[in-house]
Amino acid sequence: MASSTWLISSFFKFSFPTRASQIHCQCNTNSNSSSRGIQRRWVEAFDQSLASPERFTVASYNILADRNASQHTDLYVNVPSRYINWNRRQKILSEELFEWNPDIICLQEVDMYVELSNILVKAGYAGSYKRRTGDTSDGCAMFWKADKFRLLDGESIQYKNIGLRDNVAQLLVFEIRFLSSKAQSLSEKWGNAPVILAGDFNSTPESGIYKFLSTSELNIKLYDRKQLSGQKRCRPAQVLGEKKETVGPFSSLDGLLDFWTDEEVKTATGDSECHLAVHPLKLNSSYATVNGSASTRGLNGEPLATSYHSKFLGTVDYLWYSEGIVPTRVLDTVSISDLLREGGLPCKKVGSDHLALLSEFSFSVAHNKSTDITAAAASPRVDIE
C-alpha cells in the first residue's frame, strides 16, 4: 500500500447551544451490535474533577478504502465477500456513525468522499477532504456538526517523493515530528487552542513511535529504523502465541547507528549530529487515560486491538489530546476473543477492518484560555511485510 501521507489540520470554534453540556450519545452499549460478540460500551473516567460542563465527542475511524479492500483480498480470506462490498459497508459505516452521533468525525482511507459527504451533510455535518498523492485514491476526511462548530482555519500537509515507500518507521517519525510542530504553531495562532490528534498511526503501543508521541521525545539511536512501528510481531498467529519468534538484542548501542544514515538522522531530528527527536506537544492518549476492562485493554491501558485481518491483530489507532481538555469517557473496544469469533473484520456490524475510536472530551476547568479546538487527522498507509 502507498507510503505517501496526507494530514488535514482543522480548527474549530465552539458555538455551544444552550444545553451544550448534555451533548452525549444516549446509550451505554451499542444496540446495533452483532449477537456474535461485537458489543461496545461507554466507560467513564473515574476522576472528572477537572472537567467542565462543555462536552464534545470525537470519532476517529479508518474506514478501509474500497480500492484497498479490492486490491488486498489476501487480508480478508476469512471474511465473507458480502462484508467487503462497498455498498453494504457504506450502509454499515453510516449506521455506526449515526448511532454514536459524534460532534467531530475524523476518517482515514476515504476514497468515496462524495458519497459519504452526501449522507453526512444531510445529517447536519460539514466536511473537508484531502486526497493523497501518487496512484492512491484515498485520503483524509473530517466532518463536524455545522450548528455547533465554526471552521476558523485549515491546512493540509502533503508528503511525496521522499523515498520512504518501504520504510514505515522513518515515514512516521519524520511526519509525526512535522505534524506535531505544525499543530503546535497553529494552536498558538489561535490562543493556544487544545490539540486533538486522531488517526491510524500504523504504530503499536510498544513502538518507538508511540513512545515519541507520548513522551514528546525519542532517542532514535536506540531503535532500528525499520522496526519503529512495532508491527513486525502483530500477525494473528504471533499475537495468539501460536508462532513465537525470538528477536535478539543488538550487540551494542553503537551498532544501532548503522541503521540510520546522516540524512535520515537529520530528517528525523533536524540535525545529523543529534539523535534525539522531539516534538512540542504534551500529548496523552484518551484510551490510556480512561480505564477499560482487563479483557479489552493491554498493560499500558491502550486497546488490545483496533484492527484485525488475516495478517494483523493489534492496535494502531489513537486519539491523542493536549493540555486544556480532558477525556470524560470513551467507547471501549472489544476483547480478542470476540474478534476471533468474527473471524476477521469487516463483519456483520462493523464496516471496516478497524474499530472506530470515540472519546468524549471536556475543557479543563483549569484551562481559561480559548475554547477553540485544534483537530488533526492523519492517514498513513504502509506495506505489511
Side-chain angles (χ1 to χ4, degrees), residues 5-8 58-63 105-109 139-142 172 176 179 196-204 209-210 213 285-287 302 306-307 315-321 354-358 375-381:
T5 302
W6 281 99
L7 164 76
I8 298 174
V58 179
S60 178
Y61 203 175
N62 181 326
I63 63 171
I105 303 172
C106 302
L107 301 179
Q108 304 92 49
E109 278 199 52
C140 281
M142 200 176 281
L172 288 175
I176 293 302
L179 157 62
I196 296 173
L197 297 183
D200 170 4
F201 290 83
N202 272 320
S203 301
T204 69
I209 299 298
Y210 184 93
L213 287 169
S285 165
S286 59
Y287 275 73
E302 294 291 357
T306 63
S307 181
T315 290
V316 290
D317 304 276
Y318 306 97
L319 275 169
W320 300 94
Y321 66 95
H354 288 246
L355 297 173
L357 298 187
L358 282 93
S379 182
R381 293 296 305 175

Side-chain angles (χ1 to χ4, degrees), residues 121-373:
V121 166
K122 290 179 181 178
Y125 289 90
S128 177
Y129 176 71
K130 192 64 177 180
R131 178 176 169 173
R132 296 192 296 151
T133 55
D135 61 356
T136 59
S137 60
D138 64 285
C140 281
M142 200 176 281
F143 294 91
W144 58 94
K145 290 186 175 178
D147 63 339
K148 297 188 174 108
F149 302 92
R150 180 168 63 89
L151 183 65
L152 297 178
D153 199 354
E155 270 193 47
S156 63
I157 304 172
Q158 176 184 338
Y159 305 95
K160 62 180 180 180
N161 301 324
I162 53 178
L164 302 179
R165 181 176 180 81
D166 297 320
N167 195 324
V168 57
Q170 229 179 0
L171 177 65
L172 288 175
V173 168
F174 305 157
E175 295 175 1
I176 293 302
R177 181 174 71 88
F178 187 47
L179 157 62
S180 58
S181 298
K182 178 64 70 173
Q184 175 71 13
S185 65
L186 290 175
S187 170
E188 292 173 352
K189 175 182 177 181
W190 291 98
N192 292 313
V195 172
I196 296 173
L197 297 183
D200 170 4
F201 290 83
N202 272 320
S203 301
T204 69
E206 297 77 28
S207 69
I209 299 298
Y210 184 93
K211 179 177 175 61
F212 174 67
L213 287 169
S214 60
T215 66
S216 300
E217 64 179 34
L218 184 74
N219 186 346
I220 64 172
K221 181 179 179 180
L222 303 179
Y223 292 86
D224 179 345
R225 66 176 176 83
K226 294 183 178 180
Q227 298 183 27
L228 275 174
S229 73
Q231 296 184 87
K232 185 176 181 179
R233 294 173 55 81
C234 288
R235 288 180 178 265
Q238 295 169 318
V239 174
L240 299 173
E242 298 170 9
K243 177 183 178 183
K244 297 184 180 296
E245 292 184 0
T246 300
V247 179
F250 292 102
S251 58
S252 69
L253 289 179
D254 289 339
L256 292 175
L257 288 177
D258 292 339
F259 292 99
W260 297 83
T261 66
D262 288 345
E263 186 63 28
E264 289 166 345
V265 171
K266 183 178 180 180
T267 305
T269 68
D271 183 349
S272 61
E273 299 298 320
C274 176
H275 303 120
L276 190 67
V278 298
H279 71 77
L281 298 174
K282 295 181 179 179
L283 297 173
N284 291 286
S285 165
S286 59
Y287 275 73
T289 301
V290 180
N291 294 332
S293 69
S295 65
T296 63
R297 304 296 185 88
L299 294 178
N300 62 356
E302 294 291 357
L304 289 171
T306 63
S307 181
Y308 177 37
H309 53 64
S310 64
K311 294 186 178 181
F312 185 86
L313 175 60
T315 290
V316 290
D317 304 276
Y318 306 97
L319 275 169
W320 300 94
Y321 66 95
S322 70
E323 294 178 328
I325 53 177
V326 292
T328 53
R329 63 175 183 165
V330 298
L331 185 68
D332 210 0
T333 51
V334 299
S335 68
I336 296 295
S337 59
D338 285 343
L339 288 174
L340 294 178
R341 276 194 289 271
E342 297 295 340
L345 297 177
C347 63
K348 183 177 180 181
K349 295 298 181 182
V350 177
S352 174
D353 56 357
H354 288 246
L355 297 173
L357 298 187
L358 282 93
S359 178
E360 179 185 79
F361 292 98
S362 168
F363 287 103
S364 170
V365 293
H367 183 77
N368 54 9
K369 299 180 181 179
S370 170
T371 55
D372 301 342
I373 296 293

